[in-house]
Amino acid sequence: MQLYQLQNTALTEVHENAFKLEREMQAVFEQNLQLLMGLTLVKGEFTIKNKRIDTLAYSAEMNAFVIIEYKRDKNSSVFDQGITYLKLMIENKADFVIEYNERLGKAIKRDDIDWDQSRVAFVSTSFNDNQIQTADFRDFAIDLWEVQRYSNNTLSVNKIKKSKTAESIKAISKQNPDAKILDQIKVYTEDDLLVAGSDETRELYDKFKDGILNLADDIQVIANKQYIAFRKARNIVCMNIQKKQIRMWIGAKAGTLDDAKGIAIDVSNTRHWGTGDYEVNVNSDKDLEYIMSLIKQVL
């Protein structure tokens, strides 16, 4: 893909200004971690058991730690390295909690963390086909992020999606002793969350899902322990599917949603699962179009 910068009607070719060092990528990500990946920086260059972690981060959404590694080597194994880091985290939980508490001034306990949602993210200017294929399992807690920098100071960041035909990692984990650590990691899918619903609420979910995905291009559907999130740059709306209703949290800040019917509840001062300060509970599709108009305000 060729890029051009448009000024009036004149085009100027935009060239890639590649990162020469992993440290450059690391500095950009650590300074903008919340914006780029929705994570909180705990510490850069975190060393534990003689192993150095490039970036230790925390996901408030998943209530779990994320290890980030930056790579320029296109031939190294993300599979083996990813399992090594997951194993390091699960076997040294207290060290990660202590670092989090000291760096962020918190007082969480080891049991407060959802360790089964631990993840590893690799960041690179590009990944080869072998690296992409070895990470392409629907329940593998390893993510690949590609980043390109261009001559006009533009940055492109893309999380590589799992393929629609991605298989389960479980069969491989049974054959690989080191991969058994994956039995303690859970990567949630839509099906995991939909099983809690009824036929009626699952059908209702499909209607709202279709409506949301039609609002804009490149909306991602991401499941975690308690809800399914629809995300663009950030979460647009989150859904918890129950037997009799769907609980939704619209990703708008309190006081910013134009809700003429007053159906959205301000939960900014109430603990709730999804991100966003407004909750809407639905048990039918009678207000579907109106709720779509609320969600669209977040885009």
Side-chain angles (χ1 to χ4, degrees), residues 23-286:
R23 191 69 185 88
E24 291 182 277
M25 283 190 284
Q26 183 173 349
V28 170
F29 269 75
E30 288 186 350
Q31 188 169 338
N32 301 279
L33 205 51
Q34 185 63 49
L35 176 63
L36 294 176
M37 302 176 80
L39 303 175
T40 299
L41 175 65
V42 178
K43 186 183 180 183
E45 307 297 331
F46 176 46
T47 301
I48 178 173
K49 305 298 182 184
N50 297 319
K51 292 188 180 294
R52 181 183 61 80
I53 292 171
D54 288 342
T55 301
L56 175 60
Y58 172 76
S59 169
E61 186 172 3
M62 296 187 297
N63 188 30
F65 291 108
V66 180
I67 291 174
I68 305 173
E69 287 293 306
Y70 308 90
K71 305 179 74 66
R72 284 185 54 80
D73 182 4
K74 297 181 177 61
N75 296 313
S76 60
S77 170
V78 296
F79 184 92
D80 293 336
Q81 193 175 5
I83 289 176
T84 297
Y85 282 121
L86 287 171
K87 187 176 180 181
L88 183 70
M89 191 187 306
I90 297 302
E91 293 179 349
N92 299 277
K93 296 176 181 177
D95 297 88
F96 284 82
V97 170
I98 290 171
E99 193 67 34
Y100 175 87
N101 286 338
E102 290 182 351
R103 291 287 169 177
L104 301 182
K106 305 289 186 179
I108 64 169
K109 299 177 182 179
R110 184 173 58 182
D111 292 341
D112 294 335
I113 299 295
D114 285 334
W115 297 99
D116 61 347
Q117 293 201 79
S118 303
R119 300 190 80 86
V120 174
F122 290 102
V123 178
S124 178
T125 52
S126 65
F127 293 95
N128 62 37
D129 289 341
N130 183 61
Q131 290 172 322
I132 293 173
Q133 289 173 9
T134 56
D136 190 29
F137 295 93
R138 65 176 182 269
D139 49 1
F140 196 18
I142 292 179
D143 298 319
L144 305 182
W145 293 71
E146 287 186 333
V147 54
Q148 282 89 35
R149 182 177 61 183
Y150 298 96
S151 55
N152 64 344
N153 291 323
T154 298
L155 200 71
S156 171
V157 179
N158 175 50
K159 181 181 178 182
I160 297 178
K161 297 179 181 179
K162 307 288 186 180
S163 68
K164 293 182 179 179
T165 58
E167 298 180 353
S168 172
I169 193 70
K170 300 303 180 184
I172 291 180
S173 66
K174 292 178 180 179
Q175 303 168 9
N176 185 332
D178 289 333
K180 290 188 181 300
I181 195 68
L182 297 175
D183 293 338
Q184 301 181 48
I185 306 295
K186 172 67 176 175
V187 177
Y188 291 89
T189 66
E190 277 185 278
D191 289 341
D192 293 322
L193 279 294
L194 289 171
V195 73
S198 61
D199 289 342
E200 291 75 17
T201 54
R202 284 192 286 266
E203 182 178 339
L204 185 60
Y205 167 79
D206 287 337
K207 292 180 180 179
F208 276 96
K209 177 183 176 179
D210 289 343
I212 293 167
L213 295 181
N214 284 327
L215 291 177
D217 295 330
D218 300 326
I219 293 178
Q220 301 177 62
V221 182
I222 301 173
N224 65 34
K225 196 169 188 175
Q226 303 293 355
Y227 55 84
I228 300 170
F230 293 82
R231 180 181 301 171
K232 202 166 170 64
R234 56 194 175 95
N235 286 351
I236 302 165
V237 62
C238 303
M239 296 190 192
N240 173 259
I241 292 83
Q242 301 177 352
K243 293 291 184 184
K244 296 183 177 180
Q245 67 174 1
I246 297 177
R247 297 178 68 191
M248 298 184 186
W249 297 275
I250 298 174
K253 292 292 184 182
T256 64
L257 196 68
D258 183 7
D259 176 19
K261 291 187 177 181
I263 67 172
I265 305 167
D266 183 344
V267 292
S268 56
N269 294 316
T270 306
R271 292 190 65 181
H272 56 282
W273 284 325
T275 58
D277 289 343
Y278 289 95
E279 180 175 324
V280 178
N281 297 319
V282 297
N283 54 24
S284 74
D285 61 359
K286 68 182 180 69

Side-chain angles (χ1 to χ4, degrees), residues 1-7 9-17 149-154:
M1 179 179 66
Q2 183 56 58
L3 296 179
Y4 298 91
Q5 185 172 3
L6 177 64
Q7 294 178 318
T9 57
L11 294 177
T12 303
E13 191 171 354
V14 177
H15 300 280
E16 184 177 359
N17 179 20
R149 182 177 61 183
Y150 298 96
S151 55
N152 64 344
N153 291 323
T154 298

